[in-house]
């Protein structure tokens, strides 16, 4: 009989329960691969189990309780006791990752976290292992299944944001409180982790500006369709002028971009490098079974341990002002010369128009355009000037546009 490999499980919610079931189903197959029979030997919840007892009777700890505390304390104590740890806690890693990885190295244990980003999509492993020798230039990611489902529903069925969110909650893609998802904070935590791995420089959640999808309207989606664009919540991490920029915001994509066709609750990540041009990883990003599968993969890897996450090798500056193309939409008086005056103000800030639509609306008009890339500070300066013009009836709405397309 193979020797038992003892797994302590912290948290027994949707992912924790799915993980325990999957581990039991796959235990014999894992024993064949590793020579060890994994078994959950203790479970900690608010009303069940004692951490110290679970730690003493485990070879590895799986942390699935989420949040910062007590998760941080448990993970540190486990590694200090010489135990490998597997976690799916993106908020913890995006906030205290450097402390945790340093503790893992000091105690010669592994801290694995594939399930923290993009569900079952193996982007962590690809960055740490398959592309360890590549000089990554840029990552674009759809890393939140909830928002991708909502935006897909708005585009597919013409649903309002509120209606699409309600549908996501009914299907279990959105939590009762979806704040972290729809505001972009969840995606920002995940992009901080990806940027840390891609660029080997410290990146924390508070360094990642993020915007959500709460203010996206069905009208935005309809106009985008007329302009040949699709709307996604995009996380970006890229090298800029010797530093890096990491950010999350809604963005329009042209059909040739590999993320443009990623719909529903799926996640996807594109990785760009001179050595590889571009690769895209895609798969289910939401759901207990999917995340549990990624967690189990980490457990198996820890049972046959490779090196842990190395120290950072660079200290790159965070670049805040970057170039972007933009979609700009506003209600204006339906009178001659409006477009020319708007174009003149935009031009004064270095903004040029790529495409434009204008539709009459009972005495006023909806003016919608896509602008060529320019520095965000100059664009928003131009928007402030435009918003003060007498013929503008509503605050202009802006959404970024990602122009890259791949053959």
């Amino acid at each position: 009989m193979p020797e038992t490999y003892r797994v302590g499980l912290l948290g027994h919610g949707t992912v924790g329960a799915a993980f325990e079931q999957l581990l039991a189903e796959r235990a014999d197959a894992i024993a064949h691969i590793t020579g060890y029979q994994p078994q959950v030997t203790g479970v900690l919840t608010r009303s069940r189990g004692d951490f110290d007892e679970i730690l003493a009777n485990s070879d590895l700890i799986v942390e699935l309780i989420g949040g910062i505390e007590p998760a941080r304390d448990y993970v540190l104590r486990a590694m200090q006791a010489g135990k490998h740890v597997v976690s799916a806690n993106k908020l913890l890693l995006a906030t205290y990752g450097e402390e945790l990885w340093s503790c893992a190295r000091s105690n010669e244990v592994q801290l694995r976290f594939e399930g923290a980003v993009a569900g079952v999509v193996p982007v962590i492993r690809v960055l740490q292992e398959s592309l360890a020798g590549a000089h990554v230039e840029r990552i674009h990611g759809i890393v939140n299944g909830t928002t991708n489902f909502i935006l897909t529903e708005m585009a597919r069925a013409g649903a309002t944001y509120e209606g699409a969110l309600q549908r996501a909650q009914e299907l279990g893609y959105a939590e009762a409180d979806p704040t972290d998802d729809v505001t972009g904070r969840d995606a920002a935590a995940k992009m901080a982790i990806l940027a840390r791995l891609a660029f080997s420089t410290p990146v924390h959640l508070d360094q990642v500006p993020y915007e959500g999808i709460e203010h996206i309207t069905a009208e935005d989606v309809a106009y985008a369709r007329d302009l040949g664009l699709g709307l996604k919540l995009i996380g970006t991490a890229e090298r800029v002028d010797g530093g890096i920029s990491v950010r999350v915001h809604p963005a329009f994509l042209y059909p040739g971009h590999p993320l443009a066709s990623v719909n529903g609750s799926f996640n996807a990540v594109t990785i760009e490098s001179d050595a590889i041009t571009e690769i895209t990883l895609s798969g289910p990003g939401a759901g207990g079974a999917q995340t549990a599968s990624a967690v189990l993969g980490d457990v198996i890897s820890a049972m046959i341990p490779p090196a842990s996450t190395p120290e950072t090798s660079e200290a790159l500056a965070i670049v805040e002002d970057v170039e972007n193309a933009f979609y700009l939409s506003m209600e204006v008086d339906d009178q001659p010369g409006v477009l020319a005056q708007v174009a003149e103000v935009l031009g004064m800030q270095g903004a040029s128009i790529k495409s434009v639509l204008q539709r009459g609306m009972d005495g006023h008009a909806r003016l919608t355009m896509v602008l060529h890339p320019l520095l965000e500070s100059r664009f928003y300066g131009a928007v402030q000037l435009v918003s003060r013009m007498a013929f503008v009836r509503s605050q202009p709405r802006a959404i970024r546009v990602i122009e890259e397309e791949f053959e």
Side-chain angles (χ1 to χ4, degrees):
M1 290 293 292
E3 182 179 343
T4 298
Y5 192 88
R6 303 168 301 167
V7 177
L9 177 57
L10 312 183
H12 205 258
T14 301
V15 178
F19 168 76
E20 184 176 25
Q21 179 179 342
L22 186 60
L23 180 68
E25 292 172 355
R26 301 296 298 161
D28 290 342
I30 295 169
H32 179 72
I33 296 169
T34 66
Y36 295 96
Q37 186 89 15
Q39 178 183 346
V40 173
T41 53
V43 177
L44 180 69
T45 68
R46 287 194 180 96
S47 59
R48 169 187 173 194
D50 177 82
F51 175 74
D52 291 317
E53 290 181 6
I54 292 170
L55 181 62
N57 293 308
S58 299
D59 300 303
L60 176 145
I61 294 293
V62 173
E63 184 275 305
L64 298 174
I65 56 179
I68 299 295
E69 295 293 355
R72 173 173 166 267
D73 176 58
Y74 290 158
V75 169
L76 287 171
R77 287 168 60 189
M79 293 190 295
Q80 289 162 357
K83 309 299 175 75
H84 300 309
V85 173
V86 172
S87 174
N89 193 335
K90 65 263 183 182
L91 181 60
L92 177 63
L93 292 164
T95 308
Y96 290 103
E98 296 310 319
E99 176 189 26
L100 298 172
W101 290 313
S102 176
C103 181
R105 291 190 298 270
S106 298
N107 290 280
E108 299 182 336
V109 297
Q110 286 199 72
L111 172 58
R112 288 200 158 258
F113 48 95
E114 186 69 70
V117 179
V120 76
V121 181
V123 61
I124 301 296
R125 198 178 308 273
V126 167
L127 286 172
Q128 286 190 310
E129 299 175 18
S130 304
L131 299 183
H135 185 76
V136 175
E137 291 289 341
R138 178 189 292 132
I139 295 174
H140 279 142
I142 297 172
V143 293
N144 183 275
T146 299
T147 53
N148 204 48
F149 177 86
I150 290 171
L151 293 174
T152 298
E153 285 292 290
M154 293 178 71
R156 181 188 63 80
T160 63
Y161 165 76
E162 292 79 10
L165 172 58
Q166 182 178 351
R167 179 65 174 156
Q169 290 171 321
E170 290 170 355
L171 293 174
Y173 294 137
E175 302 288 344
D177 180 2
T179 302
D180 278 359
D181 293 323
V182 300
T183 61
R185 187 168 185 258
D186 174 85
K190 294 170 180 176
M191 292 308 300
I193 296 170
L194 294 184
R196 163 44 169 105
L197 299 179
F199 307 128
S200 191
T201 191
V203 182
H204 302 287
L205 177 58
D206 60 7
Q207 296 174 303
V208 183
Y210 57 88
E211 301 171 23
I213 65 168
E214 319 98 294
H215 304 300
I216 299 297
T217 67
E219 189 174 62
D220 291 327
V221 177
Y223 273 97
R225 190 184 304 114
D226 291 341
L227 292 165
L229 302 171
L231 184 59
K232 306 292 181 184
L233 183 71
I234 298 292
T236 300
E238 62 181 342
R239 298 182 187 272
V240 180
D241 298 331
I244 61 168
S245 172
V246 189
R247 56 198 186 272
V248 171
H249 49 66
F252 288 115
L253 303 174
Y254 286 95
H257 195 284
L259 299 184
S261 60
V262 178
N263 293 317
S265 63
F266 270 53
N267 281 196
V269 177
T270 65
I271 304 170
E272 298 174 45
S273 164
D274 289 342
I276 62 172
T277 306
E278 177 271 331
I279 63 172
T280 301
L281 306 169
S282 177
Q290 289 82 0
T291 304
S293 179
V295 171
L296 182 57
D298 276 346
V299 170
I300 296 169
S301 295
M303 293 169 72
I304 316 172
S308 192
T309 303
E311 294 183 60
T312 56
S313 59
E314 300 189 70
L316 301 177
I318 301 294
V319 178
E320 296 182 355
D321 195 14
V322 296
E323 282 197 347
N324 256 311
F326 281 90
Y327 156 100
L328 182 62
S329 179
M330 68 195 82
E331 287 186 29
V332 297
D333 291 333
D334 193 1
Q335 62 188 40
V338 167
L339 176 59
Q341 292 181 66
V342 171
E344 181 181 7
V345 171
L346 292 172
M348 290 169 58
Q349 295 295 316
S352 62
I353 298 173
K354 180 176 182 178
S355 58
V356 64
L357 289 173
Q358 184 169 339
R359 291 180 177 171
M361 303 168 59
D362 297 327
H364 59 286
R366 169 69 64 178
L367 186 61
T368 304
M369 61 191 72
V370 174
L371 306 180
H372 288 288
L374 75 161
L375 283 174
E376 293 193 354
S377 58
R378 300 197 71 176
F379 170 77
Y380 284 113
V383 171
Q384 285 187 352
L385 292 174
V386 168
S387 68
R388 297 176 189 146
M389 302 178 85
F391 54 74
V392 176
R393 291 192 169 200
S394 65
Q395 181 65 29
R397 298 170 47 74
I399 299 174
R400 293 166 182 83
V401 176
I402 294 175
E403 293 202 307
E404 288 88 358
E405 297 189 77
F406 298 88
E407 298 296 334

